[in-house]
Amino acid sequence: MGKPSLVLAYPKLVWLFVSTLLLIWYELSYDKTHVYIYYSYFLVVTYSFFVWGIKALQLKTTVYTLKRDRLLIKRGILRRITDELELFRVRDFQLDEPIALRLFSLGNVALVTSDRTTPVIRLEAIPEINKLHEYLRNLVRECWDERGVREIDAG
């Protein structure tokens, strides 16, 4: 059981910080302060906090649950959606470790599946992604063996 890291919300927080600094610099660089500068400052900061708060709330309400034979992904703020993936449907894995996430020892894994509703499932900003990848791979192989699933390339 786990959640994506809040590191994914950091770019929005950086935008908030940079926009605030730019507005303060603009205000200090002119002798006459205008009322619209304060309004624009208030609007930009309020909007940025709102966007960052929504992103952080989306990340906090996403829960990954890995069971022996399936993966559950629950997400949603007001409306809760649960995606369920039977592990025997996983066909391939893709590990993604961008430099911004590697700085925090995080990574993403994409599961390519034979499921029609969700052909690709991404688990984002997961700590110790290599251990999770190996664990998932072993669980998928066990599910394949239990169900007698074999992959055939007809290409």
Side-chain angles (χ1 to χ4, degrees), residues 55-103:
K55 181 65 175 177
L57 198 56
Q58 285 173 342
L59 292 171
K60 290 301 273 182
T61 59
T62 300
V63 178
Y64 304 129
T65 305
L66 182 61
K67 297 189 176 185
R68 192 175 160 280
D69 60 344
R70 59 194 166 132
L71 173 68
L72 300 170
I73 302 173
K74 293 182 182 181
R75 69 183 91 207
I77 298 172
L78 298 177
R79 188 177 97 190
R80 192 67 142 160
I81 297 172
T82 302
D83 286 330
E84 183 174 336
L85 172 69
E86 297 286 339
L87 289 181
F88 77 89
R89 293 189 183 276
V90 175
R91 297 177 63 198
D92 198 10
F93 301 90
Q94 180 182 7
L95 243 52
D96 180 26
E97 297 178 274
I99 192 162
L101 291 181
R102 274 195 321 224
L103 292 173

Side-chain angles (χ1 to χ4, degrees), residues 5-52:
S5 174
L6 282 177
V7 167
L8 294 177
Y10 285 177
K12 302 228 186 296
L13 195 60
V14 168
W15 167 249
L16 170 68
F17 181 70
V18 168
S19 62
T20 303
L21 286 179
L22 285 174
L23 284 170
I24 290 172
W25 171 78
Y26 181 75
E27 182 182 336
L28 294 177
S29 64
Y30 291 98
D31 293 336
K32 297 179 181 178
T33 56
H34 299 283
V35 174
Y36 71 87
I37 292 174
Y38 296 114
Y39 288 135
S40 61
Y41 174 75
F42 176 74
L43 288 175
V44 168
V45 170
T46 303
Y47 175 75
S48 299
F49 264 119
F50 180 74
V51 169
W52 179 78

